[in-house]
Amino acid sequence: MSHGSVEGGMASAATRDAPGLSADRSRHGFEQLSAVADAVLYEGYLLYPYRRSSAKNRVRWQFGVLFPRAWVEQDGPVVPNVSGSADSWYQQTEVLLRIRQRGATLRVRLRYLQLQRKQVEETGHGRLREVESLRTDDGTVHLTFDEAVPCEVDIAVPLDELLQEERTVAAGAPAGREIEALPSGAGRVVRRREEVRAEVTVAAERLGENLCRLRVRTTNTGGDPDPRATREEALRGALIAAHTLLGGAGVEFVSLIDPPEDLRALAGTCRNEFTFPVLGGEPPTSHTGATGHVLLSSPIILPDHPQVAPESPGDLHDAAEIDEILTLRTMLLTDEEKREARATDPRAAEILDRVDTMPPEVLERLHGAIRSLTPADPPPPPAVRPAWWQEGTDDGLSPSTDTVLVDGVPLGGGSRVRLRPRRRGADAQDMFLVGRTAEVAAVLHDVDGSVHLAVTLDDDPAAELHSWYGRFHYFRPDELEPLQPTDSDTPRTGGR
């Protein structure tokens, strides 16, 4: 993960402390997770080239987005995933917790972004009118754009009480409005936030003398929005990039990725939906099953003990990218592109300022670092199936030859389809693929009984390479439209 500290940290956060929250926050170790948690909070907030006009910055907020239930389920119930790349109305974390002392206390922190609309208004003929952009006399450009405000809600509860009765705490954010006057009476910038309604429910179930299962469920409790509202409009009442930090005194969390052998079966019963819990802090030097005192439940799949690259000088809002590449690309933006980026968002302006003044020794440090001299495992052989799949050994299922009926047509390897992802409750990135044509590579039967089809896009110049090393797009059968041999192969765009 190549990410630096978020500009300004959480200083501007709308923090609401639940009753019983201790004033001493350092004791539960959340500071160990601050950089990684900020990377999750601002992942994809604004992507290179950091301009409003960039296509990738017109479809934003793609991880951990919790909408009002009535809106997100208009096309049917959401299908639970182990990460938050699909839109939902809730997140659920379940983990195993060891009780290490009497009087143990659990602490939960929910973090998310609240959408803020930045609207530029121009003064003319004695009245104000909304505009997309405005240049003031000093040459500064102001653009209408969506920003976001970080929010936090903290809960502290004695574990003994939680084992007796679950605790529910309001976790929403109030509406707000701020006005910034522009120089020389040219106009103003109005920032508006709509109310976000949400709650967090924490429950614990005793599994043994010093062992319990902890459940944290975050729900958007907003009212029914206009059913015709677009995703962009519905985002005004959503929790964006929602994730949870867990810690406490006298408690120890069990890794679900690498649990101790005696807890492996119980770890497998934990049900996590739209989020993925991992241990935080420094990794242990040796262990027989991983445990830790702090945990991050993230809408992005991470390993236990995720760390920020120490060479990273600051946030670039893309922790999956390499800092050096993004920094060099940002340096190459034209002056006009940089002016637009600065006008798009204050965080973009801070990135440009940092890149433009970066000392040579800092840039050189980004070039690379050796983390370990342990030889890497050889890459797996090319396949059109998951790495764990053994052809012919699992109830006769075969991804490369199985078929599934869609509109009365059997679809399997080699079938031609048009992509029709659900408008709501689907992976947000699938919006880029509506109407595109593709070829089915495999039919995959999930462990929960559902079926997904792996496809490669017809107009992807790297489709053959993706097939070689097993990288596909995955869709449910009801998101695909069979194409007959006589159908046009020309991709078309539009809704379903």
Side-chain angles (χ1 to χ4, degrees), residues 1 3 25-39 109 111 245-248 251 253 278-284 291-296 304-308:
M1 177 177 290
H3 171 85
R25 296 186 175 183
S26 63
R27 292 176 58 191
H28 50 76
F30 287 169
E31 67 278 1
Q32 301 176 48
L33 284 169
S34 60
V36 174
D38 282 348
R109 175 175 296 173
R111 307 172 79 232
L245 307 182
L246 303 176
V251 297
F253 298 96
V278 296
L279 300 180
E282 294 292 333
T291 58
H293 299 287
V294 64
L295 184 142
L296 166 65
D304 278 338
H305 309 290
Q307 301 291 318
V308 170

Side-chain angles (χ1 to χ4, degrees), residues 245-309:
L245 307 182
L246 303 176
V251 297
E252 183 180 67
F253 298 96
V254 175
S255 169
L256 298 187
I257 298 175
D258 182 23
E261 190 59 39
D262 61 327
L263 296 179
R264 191 169 298 275
L266 281 174
T269 66
C270 291
R271 187 173 181 84
N272 289 280
E273 299 177 353
F274 302 105
T275 189
F276 191 80
V278 296
L279 300 180
E282 294 292 333
T285 54
S286 63
H287 67 281
T288 55
T291 58
H293 299 287
V294 64
L295 184 142
L296 166 65
S297 191
S298 162
I300 301 170
I301 294 178
L302 299 171
D304 278 338
H305 309 290
Q307 301 291 318
V308 170

Side-chain angles (χ1 to χ4, degrees), residues 202-469:
V202 186
E205 173 191 4
R206 189 178 293 277
L207 301 177
E209 182 179 359
N210 294 309
L211 181 70
C212 66
R213 179 187 291 110
L214 177 69
R215 180 186 302 113
V216 179
R217 188 177 175 93
T218 301
T219 305
N220 187 318
T221 58
D224 297 348
D226 184 344
R228 298 166 297 178
T230 64
R231 185 176 188 271
E232 181 177 333
E233 293 167 337
L235 280 166
R236 298 169 187 171
L239 290 74
I240 298 170
H243 59 280
T244 307
L245 307 182
L246 303 176
V251 297
E252 183 180 67
F253 298 96
V254 175
S255 169
L256 298 187
I257 298 175
D258 182 23
E261 190 59 39
D262 61 327
L263 296 179
R264 191 169 298 275
L266 281 174
T269 66
C270 291
R271 187 173 181 84
N272 289 280
E273 299 177 353
F274 302 105
T275 189
F276 191 80
V278 296
L279 300 180
E282 294 292 333
T285 54
S286 63
H287 67 281
T288 55
T291 58
H293 299 287
V294 64
L295 184 142
L296 166 65
S297 191
S298 162
I300 301 170
I301 294 178
L302 299 171
D304 278 338
H305 309 290
Q307 301 291 318
V308 170
E311 297 81 19
S312 177
D315 186 26
L316 292 166
H317 302 317
D318 191 348
E321 186 56 275
I322 299 173
D323 277 23
E324 182 185 27
I325 294 175
L326 284 179
T327 299
L328 292 173
R329 287 177 175 174
T330 303
M331 287 178 173
L332 293 176
L333 292 175
T334 67
D335 290 342
E336 182 59 34
E337 289 172 328
K338 289 184 178 181
R339 276 192 291 271
E340 183 187 350
R342 291 181 186 279
T344 294
D345 190 273
R347 294 181 182 276
E350 292 180 18
I351 290 174
L352 294 175
D353 289 342
R354 184 173 65 245
V355 168
D356 287 345
T357 59
M358 185 175 293
E361 59 271 19
V362 175
L363 182 60
E364 182 179 352
R365 195 170 67 224
L366 292 179
H367 188 60
I370 298 175
R371 304 290 183 210
S372 172
L373 296 178
T374 303
D377 294 333
V384 295
R385 57 186 182 273
W388 47 263
W389 190 278
Q390 295 296 319
E391 193 80 45
T393 63
D394 197 340
D395 297 330
L397 300 178
S398 173
S400 58
T401 60
D402 283 348
T403 61
V404 60
L405 281 178
V406 177
D407 296 336
V409 179
L411 295 183
S415 297
R416 305 270 291 102
V417 295
R418 195 180 304 278
L419 307 181
R420 299 297 186 196
R422 290 163 38 128
R423 291 170 52 223
R424 295 166 186 173
D427 192 315
Q429 299 185 54
D430 290 346
M431 290 182 288
F432 292 108
L433 306 179
V434 174
R436 305 268 284 276
T437 59
E439 180 177 318
V440 176
V443 177
L444 303 175
H445 298 262
D446 296 339
V447 293
D448 60 2
S450 61
V451 176
H452 284 78
L453 286 83
V455 305
T456 55
L457 299 175
D458 289 342
D459 57 355
D460 185 349
E464 184 177 356
L465 179 60
H466 290 330
S467 295
W468 186 86
Y469 57 73

